Amino acid sequence: MKTTIERVIFLQSIELFADIQSEQLAQIAGITDYFTLSKDEVLFTKGEKSQHLYLLINGTVNVTRNGEENKEFDGPEALGVWGFFDDGDRLLTITCSADCQFLRIDRLDFFDLLEDRVHLSRGLLKYFVKRIRKLIEVSDEVI
Amino acid sequence: MKKLVSIFYDVRENEWKPVFLMVGLHFLLMVVLYFLKPARDSLFLVETGPDQLPIVYIVLALVSLPITYLVSDVLARFPTRQVIGYVLGFLTLNLMLLRWLFLFDHPLIYMAFYIWVGIFGILVISLFWLLANSIFDAAQSKRLFSLLTLAAIVGSIFGSQASSLVVSYTPVITEDLLYISIGILCFAVLILYFIPGVNSENDRKGRPESRITGNDKTPSAVKTVVGSKYQLLIAGIIGLTTIATTFTDYQFKALSFNAYPETENLTAFIGTFYAGISLASLGIQVLFSSGIIKKFGVAGAVLTRPLGMMLGGLLMAVEPVLASVVLLNGFDSATRYSIDKTGRELLFLPLSQHIKERTKLFIDLFVDRFSRGLSGAILLLLLYMMETPITLITIILLFTIACWIFLGYRAKKEYIDTFRTSLQRMLVDTDSIELDLNEPVILKLIKESLQSGNDNQVLHTLILLENTDVEPVAGELRVLLNHPNTEIRLNALKLLQSVESVHWLEDVKNLLNDDSPEIRVETIYYLCIHSNDDPSSVIQSYLKTNQPQMQSAALGCTCKHGEQDDDGPDPKLFDDIMNNLPDDEKEQVVIKAQLADALGFVKSRSLASRHLSNLIQDSNRTVVTKALQSIAKLKLDRMVPDLLQMLNTKKFTPEVRETLGSYGNDYLTLYKSKFLDASLPLMVRKQIPGIFYHRPNETSMRHLEDMIEADEPDLRYHVIKTLNKIHREYPGLEPNRERVYSCLRSESGNYFNLLAIKAIQPESRPNSILLKALSEKMDQTLERMFRLLGLIYNQKDLYSSYLALKSISRDKRSAAVEFIDNILDPKDHKLVFPIVDDISEEKKMETGYELFNIEKVKYDQALIKLFNGNDRWLKTCAIYSVSPVCPATLQERVETYTKSDDPLYRETARMVKQRNQRYNGSEKQANENHQQS
């Protein structure tokens, strides 16, 4: 996945970027780095500082929290979203359960990009509003 | 003359002409008003009798409201000066008509004349002040409005006295005063024509505030007033004041008529009376107002009028004769526009600007008119019940005044509480009020506020104190010099500079090492003006030190506060300081910021350019911002290319655009040419329209209209966005409708062209990226079309419609379509409606084929169209969409793009070529395998 357009096509499949126009995604594609990890390698561990957003292209990862295995993800998936946006520590540990391909976005580069691109921010806002809506719906169901 | 006026009023050099003409205009308008008032009263009383007075009170209350509405509506559409011109012209014609109607000698005509003079008074006063607000800005208003008020007082004295003298000592009869008024009004219109420099920005911004928006505003104003105990008290006071004044006016006119049944004698008497009360009003304002406010505060200002009237009322009860009512009405009228007006304004002081705007108009107009109508009705009832109800009216008047005094007393307590809350919540508007610290209540509250410990509140109070004599709070300000907040220290120091009676040199000296560059400069200034030595020797002592911190602060002070005639500081000093910057990074920033600031005041442009071109490259934001502000002040030609280049970095885009905007209209052509210059980076070109936003005028609009035709859609978007912003903030600046239409037509054509290409895209093409990009581009085109429509229709409506169209709710979308269907002109409708209408894309395309003669294209032709277009992203997606089965012409184009200078085209084309080769290879292999098997 070397070219911008291929990365744009991939980014379109990530829910976080679903409401962002493809031309804007090309800007994001411009700040992504491609890398791979082998099976059992750790992407990040709980408590680490969040510097990057990871986008799983191919492969499977395991999510563990407090030593307990929580969930398994296949690509395409965005990993480490909350820490990326709120600059907090990682809440989970993610380990590759197969050979994986990733794209990595640096926090500073991303926010620099956001600074003067309203359409990009608008697309992200839509994503977060959708998430909050979902959470409200879930909590309503629980209540 | 100039010298005499300059003793009392601060009129600046370029203000003399408008001030002189405005003073003349106000004077003449007041002369006419007070010329007509005695004529109105005497003619009405003699021809119809005082019994008809209650009817005209009611009618006047009823007609004044629609007239105010009508004028405010006209004001929202046309410039204030034009409206005043037409209104004065119309009123002059009215006067001619009235004079002719007097020949018929019918009571109704005198009644109409009475009401007409009432409306004339409301109109000319409010229109004159609107014009004054449009000509002078807030700072000028504070200095000059008192001079305009003086012109009005002199005009009223002159007008009323002149009317009395004319009918007493010349053969001119009362009716003929109208001829003189017509002549004066014509002269006033002539003066209006010569008044220069209407501040278009103020004019446009002022109008919506002054406009009464009626139906949508009134209920909320009622709600606001009813919901606030304090505002109810104000409304109550104003209502009772109007009732008491109407009763007093009736009594005065009835008894005057009894004493002077002849028209000319009555005109002379009333004229003299008005002249007397105008003089008394001036005397009270000059001699007693500030004393009463100083001693008794707001309560004194609010209660003086009812207390005086109470005495007059008691006198009337004991001895109901003309002398008593002259005293009663005289006190009422003389205090109305002096101390009572001040008191009323003081009552509104604690309210936030937002609430004040909403409720003051309501209270001043609705409550006042309602009370006047109510008092007319009561008088009518009393006249129906008895023949001479003077004593009964006096009793009701005394009761009304007693209630008024009670409410005034209650208002004092509420005033303090409301003021305290407003200060705590920072609701007092800093621009619109002038604090008088001689008022004990205000002084106490300001001291409390300065000691509050709440940074925002303290800062807000310090800003409120600008242009106020702060000596009474100097002690509190001294304490604030040590406040941890930089803004508070700076503002306290600036305020203390004006206090001449105290010299806290030691306290202030501590600020020489402050972290803020501004504070250091202002500290040196304080030390200069408060030192016993000569200020220039003080500044020299700091310039000669070996400490760059002190030198730069002294340099900043010399540049900022030095005499205009000076040659400015020695250029070598700047070089020395820059070459000997201390190692400490923080200190470096402070010094560089001081120098950047100081350079804005130097006379040598080469010196300024040399240093500022370096300082704008600095890594620190404060330094760059200060440097940009200095460039804006000096408008240095040679800095323009550097500034345009800075737009590429995006780091200081708003500041750079503002700086470039400050260069003036002459540079707009240059910016336009840069915008159209395809050799410049796209990022720079995109930022250029934003410069025009900082010059909101007709010239900018015309340039932007030229720029709207840029080839790249993204560039057009930025131009349209700027036009939208300017038009929204300055509705008077309208773009050329034809050019907007032409652009709208071109955008509509683009939309249908994109749709034609989209329509033939097979869904199965590689990842449908082109399909998505086309849809997005069509959305962007639609947004530009709505923005264009916002320039010729109501922008808010169009924006709401656009949002509704993009909404997920089907109902909202259909409502938007319905709305657009109804508001657009047929010409625009034809271009826009087929796009937004809820019909299939095939049907939409049919309209496109009809409207723009768009040819039906095949897939390869469509891609070639995109290759030949200007859109970089669509071109990239088109390259990506060239599949192995596409015709050779397309493969050749891909081959060409593999050598393109644009990295995006190049990498995409190379990848596509490899992909297609792989596919062709595997296809070939499959065929061979198939043949072998």
Side-chain angles (χ1 to χ4, degrees), chain A residues 2-6 8-9 12 18 20-27 112 115-119 122 126 133, chain B residues 650 683 687 714 717 721 766-767 769 772-773 776-777 779-780 783 799 871 873 876-877 880 904 907-908 911:
Chain A
K2 285 180 185 167
T3 60
T4 304
I5 198 151
E6 285 173 302
V8 169
I9 292 163
Q12 283 180 337
I20 295 175
Q21 294 186 346
S22 59
E23 195 172 6
Q24 304 284 338
L25 287 180
Q27 318 258 5
D112 196 32
E115 229 167 61
D116 52 359
R117 284 171 181 82
V118 181
H119 288 97
R122 222 181 269 169
K126 273 191 182 175
R133 262 182 197 277
Chain B
K650 296 178 290 175
M683 185 49 77
Q687 307 301 336
D714 207 15
Y717 172 78
K721 203 171 144 192
N767 291 299
I769 183 81
K772 188 163 192 290
E776 287 166 5
K777 291 292 168 183
D779 278 348
Q780 288 168 13
E783 185 185 343
Y799 185 61
D871 196 301
W873 183 239
T876 311
C877 294
Y880 184 76
L904 187 62
E907 67 165 31
T908 313
M911 186 269 290

Side-chain angles (χ1 to χ4, degrees), chain B residues 44-45 48-58 114 249-251 253-254 376 379 383:
Chain B
F44 178 84
L45 292 170
T48 65
D51 294 355
Q52 303 300 318
L53 272 172
I55 296 173
V56 288
Y57 291 148
I58 296 171
Y114 192 102
D249 186 63
Y250 173 80
Q251 286 177 313
K253 282 171 184 167
L379 282 172
L383 283 168

Side-chain angles (χ1 to χ4, degrees), chain B residues 145-242:
Chain B
F145 277 14
S146 48
L147 179 59
L148 300 184
T149 310
L150 180 72
I153 295 171
V154 177
S156 60
I157 297 169
F158 182 85
S160 34
Q161 193 59 51
S163 67
S164 168
L165 293 173
V166 167
V167 292
S168 301
Y169 299 105
T170 66
V172 174
I173 57 167
T174 301
E175 286 88 336
D176 289 342
L177 289 178
L178 268 70
Y179 287 132
I180 302 173
S181 302
I182 290 167
I184 300 172
L185 272 181
C186 290
F187 191 53
V189 175
L190 199 70
I191 287 188
L192 185 70
Y193 179 76
F194 285 104
I195 293 172
V198 171
N199 185 341
S200 60
E201 204 172 302
N202 281 359
D203 195 16
R204 289 186 181 98
K205 281 190 168 173
R207 252 179 282 146
E209 283 167 23
S210 58
R211 193 180 172 195
I212 309 156
T213 42
N215 295 340
D216 56 346
K217 203 164 188 174
T218 312
S220 62
V222 177
K223 216 172 155 184
T224 314
V225 173
V226 173
S228 154
K229 196 173 160 192
Y230 181 62
Q231 288 174 57
L232 264 180
L233 271 174
I234 300 178
I237 289 172
I238 288 173
L240 289 171
T241 308
T242 310

Side-chain angles (χ1 to χ4, degrees), chain B residues 92 122 148 268 330 356 386 472 575 601 685 718 725 735 781 932:
Chain B
T92 312
I122 298 168
L148 300 184
K356 211 186 292 178
M386 56 184 75
D575 296 330
F601 299 91
R685 295 172 70 197
H718 283 86
K725 274 173 85 178
T781 311
Q932 279 172 9

Side-chain angles (χ1 to χ4, degrees), chain B residues 568-625:
Chain B
D570 180 5
K572 215 175 138 287
L573 266 170
F574 284 94
D575 296 330
D576 288 347
I577 297 171
M578 283 300 273
N579 294 333
N580 297 303
L581 288 173
D583 294 335
D584 181 22
E585 220 168 274
K586 214 164 134 192
E587 273 302 319
Q588 270 191 21
V589 169
V590 176
I591 293 169
K592 280 197 263 183
Q594 269 171 346
L595 289 185
D597 199 22
L599 283 163
F601 299 91
V602 298
K603 294 213 169 127
S604 162
R605 298 172 75 81
S606 60
L607 168 83
S609 302
R610 186 156 48 86
H611 287 291
L612 288 170
S613 58
N614 289 328
L615 290 167
I616 53 169
Q617 309 296 338
D618 200 90
S619 57
N620 183 278
R621 190 167 196 97
T622 314
V623 176
V624 178
T625 313

Side-chain angles (χ1 to χ4, degrees), chain B residues 42-294:
Chain B
S42 61
L43 285 170
F44 178 84
L45 292 170
V46 173
E47 301 298 334
T48 65
D51 294 355
Q52 303 300 318
L53 272 172
I55 296 173
V56 288
Y57 291 148
I58 296 171
V59 178
L60 190 56
L62 288 176
V63 297
S64 55
L65 270 185
I67 293 221
T68 322
Y69 268 93
L70 181 74
V71 173
S72 63
D73 196 50
V74 173
L75 276 168
R77 292 161 205 263
F78 302 99
T80 316
R81 185 208 290 251
Q82 201 180 336
V83 175
I84 299 186
Y86 286 132
V87 168
L88 289 184
F90 178 70
L91 292 173
T92 312
L93 292 175
N94 281 187
L95 274 180
M96 287 181 190
L97 179 71
L98 279 164
R99 180 63 193 90
W100 176 70
L101 286 172
F102 284 160
L103 298 176
F104 298 96
D105 202 23
H106 193 280
L108 274 178
I109 296 162
Y110 298 103
M111 212 177 246
F113 180 52
Y114 192 102
I115 294 160
W116 185 91
V117 174
I119 293 165
F120 177 85
I122 298 168
L123 279 182
V124 292
I125 292 170
S126 56
L127 286 176
F128 174 82
W129 286 112
L130 276 177
L131 178 70
N133 274 308
S134 70
I135 291 174
F136 303 113
D137 60 29
Q140 288 175 315
S141 311
K142 279 186 182 174
R143 286 186 286 111
L144 304 173
F145 277 14
S146 48
L147 179 59
L148 300 184
T149 310
L150 180 72
I153 295 171
V154 177
S156 60
I157 297 169
F158 182 85
S160 34
Q161 193 59 51
S163 67
S164 168
L165 293 173
V166 167
V167 292
S168 301
Y169 299 105
T170 66
V172 174
I173 57 167
T174 301
E175 286 88 336
D176 289 342
L177 289 178
L178 268 70
Y179 287 132
I180 302 173
S181 302
I182 290 167
I184 300 172
L185 272 181
C186 290
F187 191 53
V189 175
L190 199 70
I191 287 188
L192 185 70
Y193 179 76
F194 285 104
I195 293 172
V198 171
N199 185 341
S200 60
E201 204 172 302
N202 281 359
D203 195 16
R204 289 186 181 98
K205 281 190 168 173
R207 252 179 282 146
E209 283 167 23
S210 58
R211 193 180 172 195
I212 309 156
T213 42
N215 295 340
D216 56 346
K217 203 164 188 174
T218 312
S220 62
V222 177
K223 216 172 155 184
T224 314
V225 173
V226 173
S228 154
K229 196 173 160 192
Y230 181 62
Q231 288 174 57
L232 264 180
L233 271 174
I234 300 178
I237 289 172
I238 288 173
L240 289 171
T241 308
T242 310
I243 294 173
T245 301
T246 313
F247 287 160
T248 310
D249 186 63
Y250 173 80
Q251 286 177 313
F252 170 73
K253 282 171 184 167
L255 291 177
S256 304
F257 175 65
N258 287 343
Y260 300 96
E262 294 293 320
T263 310
E264 266 57 61
N265 292 341
L266 190 56
T267 308
F269 167 70
I270 294 177
T272 312
F273 174 76
Y274 281 142
I277 56 169
S278 298
L279 264 175
S281 176
L282 181 65
I284 290 172
Q285 184 65 14
V286 174
L287 301 174
F288 302 110
S289 276
S290 64
I292 292 172
I293 292 171
K294 200 169 175 178

